[in-house]
Amino acid sequence: KAGVTQTPRYLIKTRGQQVTLSCSPISGHRSVSWYQQTPGQGLQFLFEYFSETQRNKGNFPGRFSGRQFSNSRSEMNVSTLELGDSALYLCASSLGVAGTYEQYFGPGTRLTVT
Amino acid sequence: AQKVTQAQTEISVVEKEDVTLDCVYETRDTTYYLFWYKQPPSGELVFLIRRNSFDEQNEISGRYSWNFQKSTSSFNFTITASQVVDSAVYFCALKGGTSYGKLTFGQGTILTVHP
């Protein structure tokens, strides 16, 4: 089975711009979660989608948003980028049903905001 | 609120030494899940193990073993006869039983194994 894929792998943006990151989960997985990883804050949960519905959201400003499509692929969007948004953004997929909570992570998208 | 503490920021060992990575967690949930992930320099988090709160059996997988003790809220990870390829950042994580998708991670332990 193919693993979780994320595109693009690297991205450089300017303050004030917006960005869209994409994640394709493992085939058959219906849950997609997003995390932000920075040296200062570590790994922080952004949100989780299951069957196109956001089921959970972390403590991030409204500039961070996401969605999930009917094929379980997910995108996250960050608007009005700030320097502090520079991070590794990781996507994880899981079956998403009770008792099957292990999440499998993609390679991440490294976003640099200048 | 959930919290995971990995007190060891960095550990350095010589190949073939045994090493234990500590993890202490806090949760009010009676049902919860604990995980260990490995993050090599490539950046991708690799799933190692999942344990639920009702299963306190220790587990061994090759050179890896895990010790789960609810009485001390700990879920420690031991690598026996460490190898250079074990060098990575290791994360302990917690998921509450009522929390969809959200893993709460510890700050990670950087393990360096020298030849």
Side-chain angles (χ1 to χ4, degrees):
Chain A
K1 259 188 183 177
V4 179
T5 58
Q6 292 186 245
T7 57
R9 293 293 310 280
Y10 302 91
L11 208 46
I12 300 175
K13 289 286 189 178
T14 304
R15 234 176 348 174
Q17 288 186 316
Q18 77 164 23
V19 67
T20 299
L21 312 182
S22 181
C23 171
S24 292
I26 292 171
S27 178
H29 285 193
R30 294 162 65 190
S31 167
V32 173
S33 298
W34 288 90
Y35 294 83
Q36 181 196 64
Q37 185 177 23
T38 59
Q41 300 299 315
L43 279 152
Q44 295 189 89
F45 172 76
L46 282 156
F47 27 64
E48 189 254 6
Y49 287 87
F50 181 83
S51 292
E52 301 178 68
T53 300
Q54 184 183 89
R55 295 195 300 186
N56 203 354
K57 190 178 191 306
N59 292 328
F60 278 82
R63 300 185 298 106
F64 291 82
S65 63
R67 60 178 176 168
Q68 187 181 34
F69 302 95
S70 58
N71 61 359
S72 294
R73 190 176 70 84
S74 176
E75 289 182 348
M76 68 162 278
N77 183 78
V78 188
S79 62
T80 320
L81 283 165
E82 299 178 359
L83 295 178
D85 297 332
S86 294
L88 180 66
Y89 289 89
L90 291 162
C91 162
S93 79
S94 74
L95 287 170
V97 295
T100 57
Y101 294 117
E102 49 264 43
Q103 295 182 7
Y104 296 91
F105 284 79
T109 294
R110 187 163 296 281
L111 172 65
T112 302
V113 182
T114 61
Chain B
Q2 325 266 357
K3 186 177 179 182
V4 176
T5 302
Q6 294 179 252
Q8 304 146 310
T9 305
E10 288 192 57
I11 299 176
S12 182
V13 299
V14 176
E15 218 172 9
K16 296 185 184 174
E17 278 187 48
D18 297 348
V19 57
T20 296
L21 310 181
D22 297 333
C23 172
V24 173
Y25 62 92
E26 295 176 31
T27 180
R28 291 180 183 171
D29 289 341
T30 52
T31 300
Y32 53 89
Y33 301 83
L34 295 163
F35 304 82
W36 275 95
Y37 283 88
K38 173 183 179 180
Q39 188 174 41
S42 61
E44 185 169 339
L45 280 164
V46 178
F47 167 78
L48 295 177
I49 190 171
R50 174 185 64 130
R51 259 287 172 268
N52 72 51
S53 52
F54 300 108
D55 182 3
E56 284 193 74
Q57 275 194 343
N58 293 329
E59 179 153 343
I60 298 175
S61 176
R63 295 184 298 108
Y64 295 170
S65 62
W66 292 269
N67 182 273
F68 175 30
Q69 292 195 343
K70 280 179 81 169
S71 60
T72 56
S73 297
S74 66
F75 186 42
N76 297 336
F77 173 31
T78 297
I79 301 175
T80 303
S82 59
Q83 299 176 1
V84 173
V85 293
D86 295 328
S87 297
V89 184
Y90 290 86
F91 291 95
C92 180
L94 166 69
K95 182 194 167 309
T98 57
S99 174
Y100 291 118
K102 178 181 178 180
L103 291 178
T104 299
F105 285 88
Q107 285 299 104
T109 297
I110 302 170
L111 173 64
T112 304
V113 182
H114 299 280

